[in-house]
Amino acid sequence: MKMSVLWTARALCLGAVALSLVAELLVRLLRRLRPAGTLNEVLFFPSEVVCVQHLFSSLPACPCICPLRHGPETSLSRLLRHVMSASSSLDLCIFAFSNANLCRAVLAVHAKGVTVRVLTDKDYAAITGSQIGVLRKAGICARCDSSSVHMHHKFALVDGRLLLTGSLNWTLTGVQSNMENVLVTEEPDLVRPFVEEFHRLWERCGRGPLVK
Amino acid sequence: MKMSVLWTARALCLGAVALSLVAELLVRLLRRLRPAGTLNEVLFFPSEVVCVQHLFSSLPACPCICPLRHGPETSLSRLLRHVMSASSSLDLCIFAFSNANLCRAVLAVHAKGVTVRVLTDKDYAAITGSQIGVLRKAGICARCDSSSVHMHHKFALVDGRLLLTGSLNWTLTGVQSNMENVLVTEEPDLVRPFVEEFHRLWERCGRGPLVK
């Protein structure tokens, strides 16, 4: 009887060890296949017009007394938060960049020491309202292609791991009026090709002609 | 001794059963988290100009004798293949649609009985070269918004499970000249919001004004 109890205990132990080993294997496999907390999100525009002043402030309460609504999270505020989450690098490849709030976000990222690189379209960079000159004056490196075709991308890479891409040009009309989308993902199979394309275009563009 | 062998065998059996149960659990969990063969792909443009005639032909060899290169897979041919893979539904939400090859692909999909719905921008639908009139004449339902803002999306949903989205308008310039991207994904967290947005816009747009 004693022998039987002993062997039952051994069998149970063996089962438990086998279970824990497979559980460990399962956890490791899942981590490899899908990094913990992989972000996948889609933002649609037009975005409701609300005050975004608090995003640029370190104060606990919003310091702004403007007449806009305060508080609600919108597609624009989500986009600004993603841009400002950059801690080491921010690579922008944007056809049309004239939105003042997005420009302010990029300047804030640059001011905290993050390496910012901007690729844009040479024709659009030259029009009134473009923020490319503002970025360059702040010391941000901005390049554009010298060929006759359009650099029509609208994507951003945050720390080389988060991709923001879609139909949205970084303009006031794009954000507040048009029907647009921005897809936000950390999915490596989607991020990697954009990182490589940015590198390819950056090298190819060199220091193209830009408006001050 | 006999007792010992018997219990060792039992212990091993128990371990094996535990292992097989956890392995089954693992497989089911993986299937739920990431459907087998989830597609994630990025296409960059401009696409090399090659003959795509074979994509529209059921013949084993390309029937075309045009002077273009034959055979190589390009970003355009990949995009055409994805569009033509539709077997139950094809939902298009495209700002500018003037590319003849992409129009031909949509007509081929419609001809095999797939439900095709097209949302487009009312201003662009009216310009010379737009293929919206061609699609409508073939009996495809196309709608556009009556508001003054732009429907600037450029996405397609194949069978409600595959999303094609990016900066690319379905134009000749977009495909052959500009620097553009199309992100292709089956990731449910990315596809679902686009399916819902298409449904919302489709209901909202009703039957707007369109060129014949």
Side-chain angles (χ1 to χ4, degrees):
Chain A
M1 188 61 184
K2 256 193 183 175
M3 189 75 167
S4 169
V5 171
L6 191 66
W7 277 101
T8 304
R10 280 180 187 164
L12 287 174
C13 280
L14 190 64
V17 169
L19 268 169
S20 70
L21 276 173
V22 181
E24 169 102 21
L25 186 74
L26 172 77
V27 168
R28 288 191 183 204
L29 213 73
L30 282 178
R31 277 207 192 124
R32 282 196 68 159
L33 281 177
R34 175 179 288 250
T38 297
L39 181 67
N40 278 313
E41 182 183 5
V42 184
L43 308 173
F44 289 104
F45 294 81
S47 181
E48 189 190 349
V49 182
V50 301
C51 178
V52 291
Q53 179 64 30
H54 60 290
L55 298 177
F56 302 104
S57 165
S58 55
L59 298 172
C62 180
C64 182
I65 51 161
C66 75
L68 294 174
R69 274 185 76 200
H70 287 71
E73 190 81 322
T74 64
S75 292
L76 174 61
S77 65
R78 293 288 303 153
L79 181 59
L80 290 167
R81 280 185 202 278
H82 285 309
V83 169
M84 289 197 289
S85 73
S87 61
S88 62
S89 70
L90 178 65
D91 293 331
L92 307 179
C93 199
I94 308 283
F95 171 61
F97 192 163
S98 61
N99 187 289
N101 279 321
L102 281 158
C103 179
R104 195 173 167 193
V106 175
L107 291 175
V109 165
H110 173 65
K112 68 178 180 182
V114 170
T115 305
V116 179
R117 298 185 291 181
V118 181
L119 273 173
T120 191
D121 184 71
K122 66 180 179 317
D123 293 334
Y124 196 87
I127 76 158
T128 310
S130 168
Q131 299 289 324
I132 300 299
V134 179
L135 298 177
R136 291 196 93 197
K137 275 181 192 152
I140 292 172
C141 189
R143 296 182 180 181
C144 59
D145 200 283
S146 56
S147 69
S148 60
V149 300
H150 280 306
M151 197 304 292
H152 200 240
H153 290 298
K154 308 106 173 32
F155 71 84
L157 289 156
V158 179
D159 298 335
R161 59 152 189 91
L162 179 71
L163 168 69
L164 318 172
T165 187
S167 67
L168 182 82
N169 282 303
W170 287 19
T171 63
L172 197 63
T173 312
V175 168
Q176 289 188 4
S177 304
N178 290 351
M179 293 168 227
E180 309 267 7
N181 66 78
V182 173
L183 186 150
V184 183
T185 184
E186 285 176 331
E187 182 63 48
D189 291 345
L190 296 173
V191 177
R192 199 182 314 109
F194 279 92
V195 169
E196 289 166 5
E197 183 69 358
F198 186 89
H199 180 72
R200 192 183 72 81
L201 294 178
W202 184 256
E203 293 306 314
R204 183 179 123 167
C205 288
R207 288 181 183 278
L210 277 177
V211 222
K212 280 177 192 168
Chain B
M1 190 62 182
K2 257 192 182 173
M3 188 74 168
S4 169
V5 172
L6 191 66
W7 276 101
T8 305
R10 281 181 186 165
L12 286 173
C13 281
L14 190 63
V17 169
L19 267 170
S20 69
L21 276 173
V22 181
E24 169 102 20
L25 187 74
L26 172 77
V27 169
R28 287 192 183 203
L29 213 72
L30 282 178
R31 277 211 193 122
R32 281 196 68 159
L33 282 175
R34 176 177 288 249
T38 298
L39 181 67
N40 278 314
E41 183 183 3
V42 185
L43 308 174
F44 289 106
F45 295 81
S47 182
E48 190 190 349
V49 182
V50 302
C51 178
V52 291
Q53 179 63 32
H54 61 289
L55 297 176
F56 302 102
S57 165
S58 55
L59 297 172
C62 180
C64 181
I65 52 162
C66 74
L68 294 174
R69 275 184 74 200
H70 287 70
E73 190 83 320
T74 64
S75 292
L76 175 61
S77 65
R78 294 286 304 153
L79 181 59
L80 289 168
R81 278 184 204 279
H82 286 308
V83 170
M84 288 197 291
S85 73
S87 61
S88 61
S89 69
L90 178 65
D91 292 331
L92 307 178
C93 198
I94 309 283
F95 171 61
F97 191 163
S98 62
N99 187 289
N101 279 321
L102 281 159
C103 179
R104 196 173 166 194
V106 175
L107 291 175
V109 164
H110 174 65
K112 69 179 180 182
V114 170
T115 306
V116 180
R117 297 185 293 181
V118 181
L119 273 173
T120 192
D121 184 71
K122 66 182 178 316
D123 294 333
Y124 196 88
I127 75 159
T128 311
S130 167
Q131 298 289 324
I132 300 298
V134 179
L135 298 177
R136 290 197 94 197
K137 274 181 194 153
I140 291 172
C141 189
R143 297 183 180 180
C144 59
D145 200 283
S146 55
S147 70
S148 60
V149 301
H150 279 308
M151 198 303 293
H152 199 240
H153 291 298
K154 309 104 171 35
F155 71 84
L157 289 158
V158 179
D159 298 335
R161 60 154 187 92
L162 178 71
L163 168 69
L164 318 172
T165 187
S167 68
L168 182 82
N169 281 303
W170 288 19
T171 63
L172 197 64
T173 312
V175 168
Q176 288 188 5
S177 304
N178 291 351
M179 292 168 228
E180 307 269 9
N181 67 77
V182 173
L183 185 151
V184 182
T185 184
E186 285 177 331
E187 181 64 49
D189 290 345
L190 296 173
V191 177
R192 200 182 315 109
F194 278 92
V195 169
E196 290 166 2
E197 184 69 359
F198 186 89
H199 180 73
R200 193 183 71 82
L201 294 178
W202 185 256
E203 293 305 316
R204 182 178 122 166
C205 288
R207 288 183 183 277
L210 277 176
V211 222
K212 280 177 192 169

